[in-house]
Amino acid sequence: MKKLFLLIFFFGITSSGFCQLKSRTFEEVDSLAQFQKRKIIVFIHTDWCQYCQRMKNTTFKNQEVNEKLNSDFYFIDLNAEAKRAITFNKHIFKYKPSGNNVGVHELALQLGTINGQLVYPVLCVLNEEYEIIAQYNSYLKPTDFKLLLEKLQK
């Protein structure tokens, strides 16, 4: 009985102590936006980008960042080299190969291109009408990201 109590107590503490980031798909956001309008934050990255991986392992594991993203925004994690077709805002976006096992997704190009270039990682912020209101193509520490989220809420 003691062991059962300790086990339940331990799992209760660990599950409430960590807030996991809820990542949505573009299709989910399209559906959810009909009921609750929110700004959308799209994290555009690749598997080979070191800054992208660092941001995943620091910024997006920060409890305060996750709580704010989960409660006030829709967060979408977009691998720029994903090969599946994505339907968003009544358009279908596809992967565009540019060589042998090389290419980029049309939606990553659409949302992440800044001054004619796509440099990873990119944070793209969309308003409730799916218009780009901000783009950032650099690594953001948790403290910087929290400041950005606070500015976006105003």
Side-chain angles (χ1 to χ4, degrees):
M1 188 66 167
K2 250 186 187 178
K3 289 180 183 179
L4 180 62
F5 173 76
L6 288 173
L7 187 65
I8 292 170
F9 179 74
F10 175 74
F11 281 115
I13 289 174
T14 56
S15 64
S16 65
F18 298 105
C19 179
Q20 191 164 6
L21 181 58
K22 175 67 178 154
S23 181
R24 311 235 180 228
T25 65
F26 283 95
E27 293 84 1
E28 284 177 316
V29 169
D30 254 347
S31 298
L32 291 169
Q34 295 174 13
F35 303 104
Q36 185 177 19
K37 301 276 185 191
R38 293 181 181 182
K39 288 184 176 93
I40 303 163
I41 305 219
V42 183
F43 176 58
I44 304 167
H45 61 89
T46 65
D47 292 335
W48 51 262
C49 167
Q50 291 178 357
Y51 292 106
C52 303
Q53 298 311 313
R54 184 180 308 161
M55 211 162 153
K56 279 183 172 186
N57 291 322
T58 58
T59 306
F60 296 122
K61 292 210 175 171
N62 179 283
Q63 185 174 350
E64 292 175 58
V65 167
N66 292 351
E67 286 172 359
K68 194 166 282 295
L69 280 172
N70 288 340
S71 65
D72 301 328
F73 300 91
Y74 291 126
F75 178 78
I76 300 174
D77 184 330
L78 174 61
N79 184 335
E81 297 173 331
K83 293 190 168 89
R84 76 172 186 89
I86 297 172
T87 303
F88 180 61
N89 198 19
K90 299 177 184 156
H91 292 88
I92 297 174
F93 298 90
K94 297 180 180 179
Y95 176 77
K96 291 175 61 173
S98 58
N100 230 3
N101 272 343
V102 179
V104 67
H105 204 281
E106 290 174 329
L107 192 50
L109 286 171
Q110 184 85 25
L111 298 175
T113 301
I114 302 171
N115 297 325
Q117 289 186 313
L118 181 58
V119 180
Y120 306 108
V122 179
L123 282 171
C124 180
V125 182
L126 305 173
N127 66 12
E128 292 81 356
E129 286 77 39
Y130 302 148
E131 299 165 330
I132 296 173
I133 58 172
Q135 292 172 304
Y136 303 91
N137 63 345
S138 62
Y139 168 80
L140 289 175
K141 298 182 292 188
T143 52
D144 297 332
F145 196 75
K146 283 187 273 187
L147 288 172
L148 169 66
L149 293 177
E150 288 169 11
K151 286 180 187 176
L152 290 171
Q153 286 183 297
K154 293 179 183 178

